[in-house]
Amino acid sequence: MQLVVICNLINISTDQYPINEEAIISMERWNIVFTSIYIFEILVKLGAYGLKNYFLETNFHIFDILIGLLSFLDVLISQMFLTTTDDLSNSGIITILKFFRALRLFKLARYWRSFKILLYTLWMTIINLYSFTCLLIIVIFSYALLGLEFFAN
């Protein structure tokens, strides 16, 4: 499964601007394959653990269900756009859903001990620097809006 997550991240990272129509269709086909594998894994685990035990086993299972549902929504919306418009890559909702697909990377934290330690350390740092983190997020968001305004055209 780790290989599927890594291949999915490589597929997402090949996005570029401008992108030709064949690349968009290829990326979306791979997205369907990876999402199908991901949802199949969730269904197999649900069958193996049972509904109650699946959610009690670990919090990662709740994360898996959430990412699986968002990935499925991404596939549905992508297929609607692919059949109705030619400008799939510029759609805002698709970009947001691609971000949620990229969150599958955190599944690797279950298997890689050093990655789990790194994420835990990062999380504890953010908690300890809560006020600074909030201020930093506001500043980054403000500069992003300012950049959008200045460089829109």
Side-chain angles (χ1 to χ4, degrees), residues 41-57:
E41 178 203 11
I42 291 171
L43 292 175
V44 166
K45 284 184 179 180
L46 268 170
Y49 287 113
L51 188 62
K52 183 179 177 185
N53 292 334
Y54 181 78
F55 292 107
L56 294 176
E57 179 74 22

Side-chain angles (χ1 to χ4, degrees), residues 120-133:
Y120 178 76
T121 305
L122 182 66
W123 180 251
M124 293 310 293
T125 303
I126 288 173
I127 288 174
N128 290 334
L129 299 172
Y130 176 73
S131 13
F132 175 74
T133 305

